[in-house]
């Protein structure tokens, strides 16, 4: 008999695979089932002894799973899956359409309450760890400004835009925080900075044989909405170099709080939180798995409804006891 | 009638004054009383209309204060004040003797439970925000190492040691994180680093007229325990320069989590949290005041006993509602 936290994965894409790997790093958890939209017999996973179940049969797992981690996308999957699963399982998801969080929260909250489950939504790094740091910074230094910078990291939308340019064989775009904007965010002047001012764009392009590189560069740099408003650089490289150096999914970013204290606001303070990630999906998955522990514990205590990372005390995501935490980490 | 959170300050030193200033930045709070060991009529504070009460009469304030912020030192004040006040008030303190936290927690917990109060201990930045970041880092990336660097900031003990050297008129010591050690903490090699390897020491010294500067420098650099084991630099400056540039109490530091994910641990991630503070006591006070809000809310909900920052959900320290937080910061 196992006393491990029994995890299910709903959706076996980049995030689902990352969750599977993260579970292996957490000895108090075990992967019990993977739900898929495909024919279950066609899905191969890394872990042995795990059920592969069609998503339509999810309800058959009700008694086997402590927490279901929803690994679908925010555009179309989660708005449906979120409430549907929250009625059956304690759930964790990484819903990341910032503007639609209030309505998503409400629909998951209703469903989770119906099912007496705990659902923690919008878990990951942004929303997620970055959100927590925005909150902490603002609460501690109420007189101040906060800044979020993203990158260096791959933007899928901009990479797609490059690949649509005539003569381009392959392409990838990295969003890079502007050094100048970062410095001004920290210097105490509390500038207003737009997303555009805060970031530059770097493109790596493989041109087709005989293509006009000058024209490709000009077309990219002048592309409205995507590149025209940014400081954009275009680097032409070979397909070999592209395959060797540009297959990973790195990302990261910075949350900066610049605030002031003192009788005359004469003392300036900077709080900075940053991430430098080799694999965006694997890091996101690692956050999801840590918060699955919190969902499990809250459900055990009889809580239910939708939550966000703001509602979760840090101790709930650690496998250590309160005594160990006080002794080792406080 | 006020619906503000009524705060008391016990001890009007650097931290007590910082708390007073921080309360002014938080419109949902008001300072109601300052407790002092001195003759109350001799204590002048910045805020009007606030009672100054002798610490021996603290119990007379029982119905006037929602949260008492204990601003005494960890060596001798808090071990006595902590449990004593926890029986009378909801309390917040910045107890920072890491090794004695478990016993301090136990004694405050007993007292707080007797008095049906909430007491959040060891609040500040280390212990405090740094501790939270050690916990988050370890829980999210369980395969990895964490590193805490302190500085650049003033060490009072080392400054005192300099001033005891023959021929020294005034002196101040800054602890500085080593660039080399910081780089190795982030490079994925997960080195074992001692506090000594991680920090260098920079001294600013005003020599008495006619004193032997070469001898002063040698004496400082060879002082066992304090400087001998470190890479130490000594700068001689004038008293004017000292008075102009070295009166503030800056501090800060870094918490770094270096971790790995992937089937072969092939992906490296770095989480970094840093503080750069013009005033160590004012920043610490700002953290105390934010957590006073959490103590107030938990007490209202009927909770009691000792807590640490690990037990406090981020939302509890923000003046914003859950809806506002989800809409604005998630």
């Amino acid at each position: 008999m196992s006393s491990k936290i029994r995890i299910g994965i709903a959706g076996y894409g980049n995030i689902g695979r990352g969750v599977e790997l993260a579970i292996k790093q957490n000895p108090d958890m075990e992967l019990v089932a993977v739900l898929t939209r495909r024919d279950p017999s066609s899905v191969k996973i890394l872990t042995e002894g795990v059920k592969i179940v069609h998503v339509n049969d999810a309800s058959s797992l009700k008694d086997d799973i402590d927490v279901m981690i929803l690994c679908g996308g925010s555009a179309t999957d989660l708005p449906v899956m979120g409430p549907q699963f929250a009625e059956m399982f304690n759930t964790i998801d990484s819903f990341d359409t910032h503007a639609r969080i209030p309505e998503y929260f409400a629909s998951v909250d209703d469903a989770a309450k119906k099912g007496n489950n705990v659902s923690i939504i919008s878990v990951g790094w942004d929303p997620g760890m970055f959100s927590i740091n925005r909150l902490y910074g603002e609460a501690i230094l109420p007189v101040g400004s906060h800044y979020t910078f993203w990158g260096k990291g791959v933007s899928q939308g901009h990479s797609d835009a490059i690949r649509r340019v005539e003569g381009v064989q392959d392409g990838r775009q990295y969003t890079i925080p502007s050094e100048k904007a970062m410095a001004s965010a920290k210097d105490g002047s509390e500038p207003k900075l737009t997303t555009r001012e805060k970031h530059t764009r770097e493109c790596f392009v493989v041109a087709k044989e005989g293509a006009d590189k000058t024209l490709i560069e000009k077309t990219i740099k002048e592309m409205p909405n995507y590149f025209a408003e940014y400081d954009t650089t275009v680097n032409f490289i070979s397909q070999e170099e592209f395959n060797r150096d540009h297959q990973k999914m790195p990302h990261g970013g910075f949350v900066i709080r610049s605030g002031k204290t003192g009788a005359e606001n004469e003392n300036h303070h900077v709080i900075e939180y940053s991430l430098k990630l080799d694999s965006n999906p694997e890091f996101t998955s690692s956050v999801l798995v840590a918060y699955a522990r919190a969902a499990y514990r809250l459900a055990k205590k009889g809580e239910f409804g939708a939550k966000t990372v703001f509602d979760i005390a840090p101790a709930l995501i650690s496998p250590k006891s309160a005594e160990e935490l006080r002794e080792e980490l406080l």
Side-chain angles (χ1 to χ4, degrees), chain A:
Chain A
M1 235 188 79
S2 160
S3 62
K4 293 187 176 190
I5 304 172
R6 300 166 304 167
I7 305 287
I9 292 173
Y12 196 66
N14 281 332
I15 297 286
R17 277 189 292 270
V19 167
E20 182 183 20
L21 292 167
I23 290 168
K24 291 180 192 295
Q25 296 190 337
N26 287 279
D28 60 336
M29 301 194 182
E30 62 177 334
L31 177 60
V32 168
V34 169
L35 291 175
T36 177
R37 282 207 203 92
R38 289 173 275 169
D39 171 5
S41 68
S42 75
V43 175
K44 293 278 164 281
I45 72 165
L46 288 171
T47 316
E48 286 186 21
V50 172
K51 291 185 208 175
I52 318 278
V53 177
H54 194 275
V55 71
N56 294 344
D57 302 325
S59 64
S60 70
L61 295 169
K62 233 171 153 320
D63 297 328
D64 302 331
I65 302 282
D66 293 313
V67 184
M68 185 67 80
I69 303 184
L70 310 182
C71 304
S74 298
T76 54
D77 298 338
L78 287 174
V80 178
M81 277 174 87
Q84 186 189 337
F85 277 77
E87 211 175 319
M88 292 188 277
F89 302 99
N90 300 307
T91 64
I92 301 289
D93 70 55
S94 58
F95 185 79
D96 66 358
T97 312
H98 287 264
R100 298 187 60 191
I101 284 175
E103 66 181 287
Y104 182 69
F105 180 89
S107 76
V108 172
D109 191 45
D110 280 348
K113 281 175 176 158
K114 250 186 240 167
N116 262 331
N117 292 313
V118 171
S119 291
I120 313 179
I121 71 154
S122 300
V123 176
W125 60 274
D126 197 359
M129 301 315 297
F130 273 20
S131 320
I132 288 173
N133 278 281
R134 287 188 284 262
L135 187 162
Y136 276 136
E138 185 181 273
I140 292 168
L141 296 173
V143 177
S145 301
H146 63 74
Y147 302 88
T148 302
F149 292 85
W150 295 277
K152 181 180 178 178
V154 175
S155 161
Q156 209 48 65
H158 289 80
S159 300
D160 291 345
I162 292 173
R163 286 191 293 265
R164 285 192 298 264
V165 171
E166 176 88 36
V168 169
Q169 182 164 301
D170 219 337
R172 195 150 226 214
Q173 193 267 184
Y174 296 88
T175 305
I176 301 173
S178 148
E179 293 288 338
K180 197 180 139 202
M182 292 257 294
S184 75
K186 296 186 210 179
D187 71 8
S189 64
E190 295 186 28
K192 295 240 176 293
L193 297 170
T194 63
T195 300
R196 282 174 187 175
E197 288 169 320
K198 289 192 295 183
H199 300 94
T200 62
R201 303 201 173 279
E202 187 172 23
C203 307
F204 290 87
V205 178
V206 183
K208 288 182 182 158
E209 234 184 279
D212 179 347
K213 289 182 181 176
T214 313
L215 183 63
I216 290 173
E217 181 168 347
K218 185 169 149 47
T219 309
I220 291 173
K221 286 186 167 177
E222 295 178 355
M223 200 184 297
N225 302 319
Y226 284 90
F227 296 102
E229 303 80 358
Y230 291 86
D231 185 359
T232 300
T233 52
V234 175
N235 307 290
F236 288 94
I237 58 175
S238 69
Q239 187 71 53
E240 289 75 25
E241 198 179 334
F242 190 89
N243 293 347
R244 189 189 67 212
D245 298 339
H246 300 279
Q247 296 310 307
K248 283 196 167 194
M249 282 174 282
H251 220 309
F254 302 79
V255 175
I256 294 165
R257 180 75 184 176
S258 166
K260 293 188 166 73
T261 64
E264 319 270 328
N265 284 340
E266 70 275 22
N267 290 313
H268 176 225
H269 311 284
V270 180
I271 309 173
E272 183 175 333
Y273 179 83
S274 73
L275 296 174
K276 196 165 175 296
L277 313 174
D278 273 358
S279 165
N280 183 0
E282 285 183 11
F283 185 81
T284 299
S285 302
S286 296
V287 183
L288 292 172
V289 167
Y291 276 86
R293 186 178 288 119
Y296 171 76
R297 288 170 171 174
L298 289 174
K300 280 266 170 196
K301 278 176 59 184
E303 297 207 23
F304 50 88
K307 317 260 177 201
T308 74
V309 293
F310 296 153
D311 306 309
I312 307 301
L316 287 172
I317 75 165
S318 169
K320 290 185 172 169
S321 71
E323 291 74 20
E324 287 171 322
L325 289 175
R326 286 195 294 270
E327 217 174 300
E328 297 171 22
L329 296 181
L330 196 60

